[in-house]
Amino acid sequence: MKKPLPDFTKDEHPDCRFCLDLEVTDLFDKPLLTEKDIIEFNYNNQQIILTEKAKQKLEEMEISLVGLPMAMVLDGEIIYGFWFWNKYSSFGCDRVYTYPNINFKIKFGLPPTNAFGEDPRFDERLEDYLEN
């Protein structure tokens, strides 16, 4: 079942335009990408290498100029929210983002001096999962 996409850019955090306080109820019934779509996730440099089928799926997606909210989920638990960023956008992003159609390297702060809060990307749960 497809749900309408909520607006996560509200003024809950006036200093942070793109903070994502996601709840499990915000997630769609089916994930956009699963572990089967990932060839490799390099935890140290935060780059995800996708299968050709997954790359094609992303090429067909429409990402607005202010991004598309996503969630890094592990075993049904949201690890952190992040943004798929439009490669033509001139907006900055003060949280976690990636250009999924370019290199799928997950970054924090665009530009890096425009980052808000703690960087959630290096969560130990992800590292433990990848090691085991």
Side-chain angles (χ1 to χ4, degrees):
M1 173 162 90
K2 186 142 177 144
K3 299 189 260 188
L5 188 63
D7 179 8
F8 291 105
T9 60
K10 296 187 178 167
D11 295 328
E12 291 179 24
H13 300 284
D15 297 331
C16 183
R17 173 87 173 127
F18 294 100
C19 283
L20 286 174
D21 292 326
L22 299 173
E23 302 290 332
V24 173
T25 57
D26 293 323
L27 300 177
F28 289 106
D29 294 340
K30 290 177 144 183
L32 175 65
L33 299 173
T34 67
E35 189 173 355
K36 292 177 185 177
D37 295 312
I38 299 171
I39 296 172
E40 178 185 353
F41 177 29
N42 185 316
Y43 179 81
N44 293 324
N45 79 5
Q46 294 291 301
Q47 186 165 17
I48 297 175
I49 308 299
L50 298 172
T51 65
E52 288 304 316
K53 186 177 177 181
K55 287 179 188 177
Q56 182 62 38
K57 189 185 314 185
L58 293 179
E59 282 295 323
E60 295 169 0
M61 278 183 52
E62 186 175 323
I63 302 171
S64 77
L65 289 177
V66 293
L68 182 64
M70 294 288 155
M72 178 71 71
V73 178
L74 184 61
D75 294 328
E77 182 179 357
I78 296 173
I79 305 298
Y80 61 84
F82 68 102
W83 293 88
F84 274 3
W85 218 244
N86 185 308
K87 61 186 171 186
Y88 301 110
S89 176
S90 61
F91 291 102
C93 183
D94 47 16
R95 291 301 293 165
V96 180
Y97 72 96
T98 185
Y99 292 101
N101 297 336
I102 298 176
N103 64 8
F104 214 115
K105 187 166 182 166
I106 303 172
K107 300 178 181 181
F108 182 64
L110 176 64
T113 56
N114 182 39
F116 179 86
E118 296 292 318
D119 184 348
R121 296 174 299 156
F122 296 94
D123 190 290
E124 290 177 359
R125 294 170 289 182
L126 289 171
E127 185 176 34
D128 290 345
Y129 182 79
L130 292 168
E131 288 177 359
N132 296 314

